[in-house]
Amino acid sequence: MRVSKTLSWLALGGVALTLTACGGGDQKPTTDAQGNTVIKYWHAYSADSPEIKTLEDKVIPAFEKSHPGIKVESVPYPYDDLHQKLLTATAGGTLPCLVRSDIIWVPELAKLGTIAPLSDEMTDFDKIASTTYDGALATTEYDGKHYGLPLDTNTRVLMYNQATLQEAGMSKPPATFDDMRKLADGLKGTGDYAFADNGTSGWNLMPWIWSAGGDLANSDMTKATGYLNSPQSVAGVQLLVDLYKEGELPDIITGAKGGEETSVGLPKGDYATMLDGPWMLPIFASQNPDFQVQTAMMPAGPGGSISVVGGEDVVMTNSCPSKGDAEQFIRFLLSDEAQKDMAEVGQMPVLSTLGSQLTDIKPYYGIFAKQLETARPRLPHPEYPKIETILSTEVQKAFTGDTTVQAALDSAAKQIDGILASS
Amino acid sequence: MTRPPTGPPTRPPARPMSRPSARTTGRFVVLLVGAAVMVLPFAMMIATSLKQQSFVLTPSLVPDHPTLDNYVRAWTSSGFGRYFLNSAAVALATVALVLLFGSMMAYAFARFEFVGKKAMFYAMIATLMIPAMMLLIPQYFVARDLGVLDSRTGLVLFYVAGQLAFTTFLLRGFFAGIPRELDDAMLIDGANRWHIYWHLMLPLARPALATAAIFTFLGSWDEFVWAVTIIDSKDNRTLPMAIQLFQGQHGTSWGLVFAASTIAVVPVIAVFVVFQRYFVSGLQAGALKG
Amino acid sequence: MTDTASPTTGATPAARPRVPRPGSGRRARPRRGPAPSGGTGHGSRLTPYLFLLPGMVLFVGLVLWPIVQAARMSLLDWQFNPGLPSPFVGLKHYDRALHDPIFWKSLVNTGVYMVATVPTQMILGLALALLLNKAIAGKVAFRVLYYLPVITSWVVVSLVFEYLFATSSGLVNHVLHDGLGIGSEPINWLGSRWPAMVVLSLLGIWKGAGWSMLIFLAALQAVPKDLLDAASVDGAGPVRRFFAVTLPQLRPVALFVTVMLVIGGFNVFISVFVMTGGGPANDTQVVLTYMYKQAFDFLEFSYGSAIAYLLAIIIFALSFAQMRLFRYDEEAS
């Protein structure tokens, strides 16, 4: 008899445990036990970084204090997972209210109907929008409407390890493509790498393509052939492939796991240089206090020293059941107070009024501001994630030696032409 | 492969004793080496979880300056205790419901004749051949329409549905082996069918229930794909998906990742070691002596 | 989604041998002869259905219906938004798959994984079972140790292997390259197709061998002792006894193990998802990761469903072929 008793207790206990603890995924405003409205906020701030601590321990508490009745639940994802989660949640109807979206996803999410046009939703949209940089604001635009507000902006500059440079006999960081090759030659046989990067997406490749004088597509976004496979674009990618073949660029470039990440290899001195954004400086400071990271401009090619504009927009989903409260948090995120707090930890503000104070907040913003003067945005196309997948996949073939850079980019351009033509 | 003789009772008495014992030693050594290979990855995992961050990338089995720091950080950071409880609650509820519903179905299949019995039974058999992941896409939308996405209810419901067929088979076989005379005796005493199921079948099927419980527990405790597909909220994450997300965010903090992994693996090993006799006895009693 | 159907997760060992054994049901029926009504004197005709009801609701609603639904989706241009029309497109998505080089690549990779893992697991499992089917010190401990990988979460073991096979700091390269001096450069295990397939297969073998072992062990213990005794009385040595008595007795179990391992091989997903994500350049994509990517990265749910169905068809065909093959063999011998 003991068995059936055990079983019934198990059943009761187990079911009760899950059912009581389960909130449903319903469309009514989510509230917590105290009756506060809960606004879910998805983002991809790096875990273990000062950014996420500032958001969760400083910005959100400050907002909740000044806005009683509203709670913000921060939901972090690894950057690589967030885009997929957003699409899946669109199909499943489980979107949060607010998302800190990479600027390159906004047109896609707008086209899918995932996110709401803030320029229609918020009565004070124009007023807030006017306080932000025009370039940053432009990333929220799709089909004549603004689907979000810029939250932070950034670009990639060269970060280097002085000791490893000296090992190669160089006193200054590589300023040109040729210097980069020299650095690689100088490091031959040391076991150290001249440069490291962790993928072949637009974020990784475009600085080299643009600096070499190439581009992804024409400005009308109708054609990639003739641009992505131009001799200039090929030369930009070829530099990386050559470094890889010479053993001067580690395998993480193909997205292979199990390699040493840039954030580890640079302070250890295994990697001489890398490209990254301003958030890395607080991360290095907190994780490798003994390491003095140096910064320099993106190495210049025939096209100049051109880096890539990065950044995030805050967007509100169409399915958000408590839009009014969510908008309150958007306003707060764009306040001087929140922008300054985040600026302390490497999130470059988008408020033009803070521009003059940038280097007072953190001196390292100087070089990013300078690099941003010439930096370019990735293709603001609703199919950009697909385009980027093609680019990334084809270029990986050049790295793994299956094909040449020219053939890889020819193939990518042809496929991208198809996407550009059909949308 | 053919070296080991089959069955010690057949050992011809004429042979000198030293040869079989040398053979036994050889066998033991082979098994030991094999076990070492099996255990090495676990050893590496635990060793790494005890290393300080700066030593994590040096491949050694013995941590230089062992520390429990990673465990403290893994447990306290990002709601890990919550994930553990989620996994436990989901696994427990799944086990209970699978055992209950599965044994009820098994009883019906073992003791009744009714219209559609064959069709239902073979439908269940057939689904055991289908890779569960094949159903992921439509199941995602069934879950959406039921409003159970991003909830533990959604995990439990689909885990139960997915594991029912197996448990039903296991228990049906066991029930069929219970002499009918026992039912008949109870029927004559005026017991109804539910009474027989609850007070006769279930207690007698104890070993089979234990076996089914273990497999179901492991199945839902370790399940990853469904969880990672339907769960968004931090509050609803289970251990395997939390660990995977953890690794995505702390790619270099292997010590932390493996501390979290070790925490997730320990209950599984405990359950297995405690109940492992049911694995084997379940296999023998239920499965292979037919 | 639930791992129960996959042998490599260890959820099935007890279940499956039940399937090819309809004898148990048949045995029960004649005994029921004297009371053909099956005890309907107590409770109505409805009784069995009441016992089936809760389980069947879940099974039909959450397993059977999705099977039908997947077929529907694969024949439509299915829109996840219920307000939009989902036009019927026939076999368009199947056609697309058959002309999709990445689908073929993923199929080849899955096949390679299967060829690498299935026979190895069989042989290792049988060998271990033979070694353990003896009075030997620490028998239970060995059994537990060999079975540990089977019950450990795929996510965890995938992460462990990723760490062991890391290019610059992994134990494997440390031993091979730094220790034994093999190769001029440390091997980039997860960064290109075949080395990555080697790692994935090794993981599959390591994780699954204990499962085959346990099944074979149970089967070995069921081999009638008197047969073996009779054989040795007839002068058969251990090798001969193995081939003449033990192996034929293991045939049905071997069939079962093969079928399950093949299904398990096609089911490979989590290790690839976690360790390579199908990259670089789709080089390590397997069928299920490709299906997942199409559905949940690109929202191509119809195409994903078509891929899933193609895989299911292949699995069914192979399973039937194996059963046929074994049966003919059995009849021949």
Side-chain angles (χ1 to χ4, degrees):
Chain A
M1 303 309 109
R2 260 177 49 223
V3 182
S4 33
K5 231 178 211 164
T6 319
L7 185 55
S8 44
W9 279 114
L10 249 180
L12 266 176
V15 175
L17 243 170
T18 33
L19 294 187
T20 52
C22 284
D26 47 17
Q27 285 308 308
K28 275 173 270 154
T30 338
T31 49
D32 65 5
Q34 284 78 42
N36 298 306
T37 310
V38 177
I39 303 291
K40 283 191 183 170
Y41 179 41
W42 288 8
H43 57 80
Y45 287 115
S46 332
D48 274 357
S49 68
E51 314 157 21
I52 213 163
K53 285 196 193 82
T54 303
L55 173 75
E56 291 181 355
D57 299 344
K58 212 166 174 182
V59 175
I60 291 178
F63 170 77
E64 288 174 346
K65 207 174 158 207
S66 59
H67 295 78
I70 311 176
K71 294 274 169 205
V72 176
E73 185 188 331
S74 136
V75 184
Y77 284 101
Y79 174 84
D80 290 339
D81 294 349
L82 183 57
H83 180 251
Q84 188 237 309
K85 267 288 164 194
L86 280 172
L87 292 194
T88 309
T90 299
T94 54
L95 287 162
C97 265
L98 295 178
V99 181
R100 174 180 176 261
S101 163
D102 192 312
I103 53 175
I104 53 172
W105 304 334
V106 172
E108 182 193 33
L109 296 175
K111 193 183 176 204
L112 265 176
T114 307
I115 52 178
L118 285 193
S119 49
D120 293 353
E121 297 274 348
M122 292 174 77
T123 47
D124 52 348
F125 180 84
D126 290 340
K127 198 176 134 229
I128 302 173
S130 67
T131 63
T132 63
Y133 290 118
D134 290 346
L137 184 65
T139 64
T140 67
E141 196 176 334
Y142 175 73
D143 229 7
K145 290 179 178 174
H146 288 278
Y147 282 80
L149 277 163
L151 198 56
D152 53 73
T153 183
N154 57 59
T155 186
R156 309 179 89 198
V157 301
L158 195 76
M159 300 185 182
Y160 61 94
N161 185 319
Q162 185 68 44
T164 315
L165 279 190
Q166 272 155 359
E167 212 183 324
M170 290 178 74
S171 54
K172 277 191 287 183
T176 63
F177 282 20
D178 288 340
D179 286 353
M180 206 70 198
R181 290 189 191 270
K182 263 182 228 150
L183 173 61
D185 290 340
L187 286 172
K188 285 259 162 68
T190 60
D192 294 336
Y193 296 93
F195 174 72
D197 206 350
N198 59 2
T200 51
S201 67
W203 175 249
N204 310 105
L205 292 180
M206 290 318 292
W208 301 98
I209 292 177
W210 284 322
S211 298
D215 207 343
L216 176 60
N218 59 354
S219 53
D220 299 344
M221 301 197 287
T222 52
K223 201 121 193 82
T225 299
Y227 298 86
L228 184 54
N229 57 347
S230 67
Q232 293 88 343
S233 297
V234 171
V237 177
Q238 191 67 53
L239 171 67
L240 297 177
V241 172
D242 287 347
L243 291 182
Y244 180 78
K245 299 256 155 89
E246 290 163 20
E248 283 305 321
L249 187 74
D251 56 36
I252 52 172
I253 189 84
T254 62
K257 294 198 190 163
E260 190 169 80
E261 291 182 28
T262 52
S263 59
V264 175
L266 193 77
K268 267 177 81 180
D270 294 346
Y271 304 156
T273 64
M274 68 188 234
L275 286 177
D276 223 326
W279 56 87
M280 280 316 293
L281 297 147
I283 289 180
F284 280 135
S286 72
Q287 290 180 359
N288 306 79
D290 302 336
F291 169 59
Q292 275 297 318
V293 60
Q294 312 284 327
T295 53
M297 297 288 279
M298 162 79 201
S305 160
I306 317 257
S307 190
V308 55
V309 176
E312 274 81 15
D313 297 330
V314 57
V315 295
M316 183 169 74
T317 60
N318 268 318
S319 59
C320 175
S322 25
K323 289 205 170 83
D325 291 341
E327 284 165 15
Q328 289 295 337
F329 189 57
I330 295 181
R331 288 186 189 97
F332 188 79
L333 286 174
L334 279 137
S335 67
D336 276 16
E337 182 191 352
Q339 288 275 309
K340 269 187 186 163
D341 281 343
M342 294 310 291
E344 294 283 340
V345 287
Q347 295 293 309
M348 222 169 153
V350 291
L351 301 180
S352 48
T353 48
L354 292 180
S356 54
Q357 306 170 38
L358 261 186
T359 46
D360 297 338
I361 299 174
K362 289 287 169 189
Y364 57 68
Y365 282 125
I367 187 152
F368 289 96
K370 191 168 170 223
Q371 188 79 63
L372 268 174
E373 286 168 14
T374 56
R376 291 200 217 160
R378 283 155 287 174
L379 213 61
H381 192 279
E383 303 282 350
Y384 182 75
K386 267 188 193 164
I387 293 172
E388 183 165 67
T389 302
I390 294 169
L391 173 68
S392 170
T393 306
E394 292 300 325
V395 170
Q396 278 173 16
K397 290 180 189 164
F399 277 101
T400 54
D402 292 344
T403 181
T404 62
V405 174
Q406 181 72 56
L409 292 181
D410 283 345
S411 162
K414 204 174 138 210
Q415 293 174 59
I416 293 168
D417 280 348
I419 290 182
L420 295 178
S422 67
S423 50
Chain B
M1 244 57 49
T2 54
R3 216 166 300 123
T6 331
T10 63
R11 195 198 309 143
R15 284 197 188 162
M17 286 304 288
S18 66
R19 270 178 64 196
S21 86
R23 205 177 279 150
T24 310
T25 315
R27 202 187 300 137
F28 188 77
V29 170
V30 171
L31 282 170
L32 212 57
V33 171
V37 172
M38 287 296 173
V39 170
L40 178 75
F42 290 105
M44 204 64 199
M45 173 178 90
I46 292 167
T48 308
S49 74
L50 296 171
K51 287 177 194 168
Q52 292 167 2
Q53 175 60 26
S54 44
F55 295 98
V56 158
L57 294 175
T58 41
S60 67
L61 265 176
V62 186
D64 280 344
H65 302 279
T67 166
L68 285 175
D69 212 40
N70 289 317
Y71 286 87
V72 177
R73 276 180 62 209
W75 187 261
T76 49
S77 84
S78 53
F80 212 76
R82 170 93 193 187
Y83 307 147
F84 193 91
L85 283 181
N86 281 342
S87 277
V90 167
L92 227 71
T94 306
V95 169
L97 290 176
V98 165
L99 290 194
L100 182 67
F101 295 165
S103 62
M104 284 165 69
M105 293 211 282
Y107 177 63
F109 283 127
R111 283 296 198 257
F112 292 91
E113 285 304 322
F114 51 89
V115 178
K117 174 171 165 174
K118 256 199 170 153
M120 287 191 222
F121 193 68
Y122 284 112
M124 294 189 94
I125 293 185
T127 61
L128 282 180
M129 302 278 281
I130 294 175
M133 261 202 72
M134 207 197 114
L135 304 179
L136 192 67
I137 298 169
Q139 279 177 330
Y140 182 79
F141 291 101
V142 170
R144 177 188 73 175
D145 297 342
L146 291 175
V148 294
L149 285 179
D150 195 19
S151 73
R152 278 161 294 174
T153 316
L155 294 179
V156 172
L157 281 180
F158 284 83
Y159 290 170
V160 172
Q163 309 215 42
L164 262 181
F166 156 65
T167 301
T168 306
F169 284 126
L170 182 75
L171 295 176
R172 191 208 66 124
F174 204 90
F175 289 165
I178 296 173
R180 270 179 179 270
E181 290 73 21
L182 295 176
D183 299 40
D184 294 341
M186 282 183 92
L187 278 173
I188 290 164
D189 289 347
N192 66 22
R193 289 295 188 171
W194 178 264
H195 193 85
I196 294 174
Y197 155 76
W198 195 252
H199 293 287
L200 176 73
M201 294 305 216
L202 285 189
L204 286 178
R206 204 175 136 156
L209 285 172
T211 307
I214 296 161
F215 288 130
T216 312
F217 174 83
L218 295 181
S220 54
W221 182 271
D222 289 346
E223 203 285 328
F224 169 71
V225 183
W226 181 244
V228 91
T229 308
I230 72 158
I231 297 295
D232 302 320
S233 305
K234 237 163 106 179
D235 279 355
N236 292 333
R237 288 176 188 168
T238 58
L239 277 177
M241 72 172 295
I243 289 171
Q244 194 256 342
L245 286 177
F246 214 56
Q247 195 263 345
Q249 295 175 315
H250 307 256
T252 50
S253 307
W254 281 111
L256 206 56
V257 171
F258 286 145
S261 302
T262 307
I263 295 172
V265 167
V266 163
V268 169
I269 294 179
V271 165
F272 175 66
V273 169
V274 171
F275 294 103
Q276 57 96 13
R277 68 199 170 95
Y278 284 109
F279 269 74
V280 183
S281 72
L283 278 167
Q284 289 167 342
L288 291 158
K289 277 189 176 164
Chain C
M1 132 226 65
T2 49
D3 284 339
T4 23
S6 152
T8 34
T9 59
T12 22
R16 215 46 70 92
R18 198 128 285 290
V19 184
R21 207 201 98 198
S24 66
R26 233 173 278 144
R27 212 186 307 131
R29 226 163 280 144
R31 222 187 287 164
R32 204 176 301 129
S37 56
T40 41
H42 299 264
S44 73
R45 255 168 225 283
L46 271 178
T47 313
Y49 298 107
L50 290 177
F51 274 102
L52 288 173
L53 187 70
M56 269 298 166
V57 167
L58 285 178
F59 178 72
V60 172
L62 308 185
V63 178
L64 277 191
W65 166 241
I67 292 177
V68 177
Q69 182 69 2
R72 257 192 73 219
M73 287 168 92
S74 74
L75 299 172
L76 304 172
D77 260 339
W78 192 81
Q79 302 295 319
F80 60 80
N81 190 332
L84 296 173
S86 302
F88 179 81
V89 296
L91 297 177
K92 182 181 119 180
H93 299 293
Y94 292 89
D95 188 61
R96 176 177 164 194
L98 298 179
H99 292 95
D100 180 347
I102 303 173
F103 172 73
W104 284 107
K105 191 180 240 181
S106 70
L107 200 60
V108 169
N109 284 342
T110 311
V112 166
Y113 178 82
M114 235 176 49
V115 170
T117 56
V118 173
T120 325
Q121 285 181 76
M122 293 272 292
I123 293 168
L124 279 177
L126 183 57
L128 288 172
L130 287 169
L131 287 172
L132 277 176
N133 191 31
K134 293 282 142 74
I136 195 159
K139 192 171 163 171
V140 175
F142 279 127
R143 209 169 56 194
V144 169
L145 288 179
Y146 283 114
Y147 205 69
L148 269 190
V150 183
I151 55 165
T152 309
S153 138
W154 269 105
V155 175
V156 170
V157 294
S158 300
L159 291 176
V160 173
F161 268 61
E162 186 183 322
Y163 177 71
L164 290 176
F165 284 88
T167 314
S168 54
S169 54
L171 181 67
V172 175
N173 273 350
H174 184 69
V175 171
L176 286 184
H177 181 253
D178 306 348
L180 304 174
I182 295 170
S184 56
E185 285 284 311
I187 301 170
N188 178 1
W189 286 104
L190 296 173
S192 45
R193 186 176 184 184
W194 301 117
M197 291 310 296
V198 168
V199 177
L200 292 167
S201 303
L202 283 175
L203 170 56
I205 294 165
W206 174 81
K207 193 169 190 306
W211 181 81
S212 314
M213 173 204 76
L214 211 58
I215 303 276
F216 278 125
L217 199 56
L220 281 177
Q221 289 170 0
V223 172
K225 285 256 162 18
D226 41 346
L227 277 185
L228 290 168
D229 290 346
S232 71
V233 168
D234 289 347
V239 175
R240 222 184 120 61
R241 279 204 301 272
F242 173 75
F243 281 105
V245 181
T246 312
L247 210 53
Q249 291 280 327
L250 292 180
R251 187 182 295 273
V253 174
L255 165 66
F256 163 68
V257 171
T258 324
V259 171
M260 291 311 294
L261 288 182
V262 167
I263 294 178
F266 274 113
N267 246 321
V268 60
F269 174 82
I270 297 175
S271 52
V272 182
F273 186 83
V274 171
M275 287 164 79
T276 70
N282 291 312
D283 269 357
T284 59
Q285 209 74 261
V286 291
V287 178
L288 287 178
T289 52
Y290 192 52
M291 177 205 87
Y292 195 86
K293 192 186 169 91
Q294 287 298 333
F296 295 102
D297 280 1
F298 300 144
L299 304 184
E300 299 260 14
F301 294 107
S302 288
Y303 188 40
S305 299
I307 292 174
Y309 253 90
L310 284 173
L311 183 65
I313 292 167
I314 294 172
I315 291 180
F316 266 99
L318 270 183
S319 299
F320 275 114
Q322 289 168 61
M323 287 184 206
R324 263 283 154 81
L325 211 71
F326 268 83
R327 211 160 287 161
Y328 278 129
D329 262 19
E330 213 168 343
E331 280 158 11
S333 59

